[in-house]
Amino acid sequence: MKALLIATTLLLTASSLWAQDVTVEADKKLNIDFSKYKTYGWASQVDSKLDPGFYFLNDLELKDRIRNAVRFAMDGRGYKYTRQHPDLLVNFRVFEKPVSIKGYTGYGTTYFGANEVRQPDDESTFEVKAGSLIINLVETKTGQVVWRGLASGLTNTNGFDRDQNKIKQAINLIFEKYSSRADAY
């Protein structure tokens, strides 16, 4: 019994230490009714293709692991996968090198009010570290990103950490920031 307690404590300590190394952030488009989204599909670059680009990690096995973990997260929130006219397209990128991406700062002065509009001066550039994973949910009708989650710090001594369990943990941490569901659960 004592050995089981020690082993459990060590496991929890190790997993919490790993989770502290990973930074997770999320942002969503304001004034969006997420309850209208019921289905999802994959963006074309997610489907078993290598990503062209200098900053992206090209690894089909890693892409498959991420796709499976994201599928689990979306299905667990009641979304149904479809190839025909999904409400949301899921896209993700793994950054092997640091890069700057345009985004938005804050939520403006009327975040809790109605009719929030982000102003051009809300736009900013943010730095994405090497070893980062970004997941975008894109509304298919408008082509706009309505939610974005980012996990950074997914590195080890060999570069991006491809460990399946760590990838699953990082994606779970990202989707903890996504509070919407497609079902009435």
Side-chain angles (χ1 to χ4, degrees):
M1 181 69 170
K2 197 176 210 181
L4 180 62
L5 182 61
I6 292 171
T8 303
T9 304
L10 288 174
L11 181 62
L12 289 173
T13 303
S15 64
S16 68
L17 287 174
W18 180 83
Q20 290 173 355
D21 294 341
V22 175
T23 304
V24 176
E25 300 173 29
D27 191 19
K28 67 180 181 177
K29 188 172 181 185
L30 301 174
N31 297 324
I32 293 290
D33 178 12
F34 282 86
S35 67
K36 67 183 177 181
Y37 305 129
K38 305 294 182 200
T39 61
Y40 74 97
W42 300 113
S44 61
Q45 74 84 26
V46 172
D47 281 335
S48 300
K49 298 177 192 166
L50 293 176
D51 294 331
F54 180 67
Y55 300 97
F56 308 129
L57 186 62
N58 281 313
D59 183 331
L60 292 178
E61 185 177 332
L62 173 65
K63 187 182 267 192
D64 188 54
R65 288 177 183 173
I66 294 169
R67 191 174 43 244
N68 288 337
V70 171
R71 178 183 293 122
F72 183 80
M74 293 296 286
D75 291 350
R77 283 162 179 75
Y79 291 91
K80 300 293 181 205
Y81 172 76
T82 182
R83 291 178 185 231
Q84 301 296 321
H85 311 293
D87 300 322
L88 296 170
L89 281 180
V90 179
N91 193 4
F92 59 81
R93 296 284 184 165
V94 175
F95 291 86
E96 187 173 33
K97 299 179 184 203
V99 66
S100 297
I101 296 180
K102 283 191 176 184
Y104 292 95
T105 58
Y107 290 100
T109 56
T110 59
Y111 174 60
F112 290 105
N115 304 324
E116 172 67 26
V117 177
R118 287 186 169 165
Q119 301 299 319
D121 58 340
D122 291 338
E123 187 176 67
S124 71
T125 301
F126 61 96
E127 302 301 317
V128 176
K129 299 174 185 174
S132 294
L133 167 65
I134 292 181
I135 300 171
N136 289 318
L137 300 182
V138 180
E139 183 182 79
T140 55
K141 288 183 181 176
T142 63
Q144 303 249 335
V145 174
V146 294
W147 185 85
R148 172 180 294 135
L150 165 74
S152 57
L154 296 166
T155 58
N156 61 26
T157 55
N158 295 326
F160 192 88
D161 194 338
R162 291 169 169 81
D163 180 86
Q164 188 168 355
N165 290 326
K166 290 185 180 180
I167 291 167
K168 285 180 183 178
Q169 288 174 348
I171 290 170
N172 285 338
L173 290 171
I174 290 172
F175 275 97
E176 282 181 6
K177 305 269 184 186
Y178 184 73
S179 58
S180 300
R181 294 191 58 86
D183 57 12
Y185 179 70

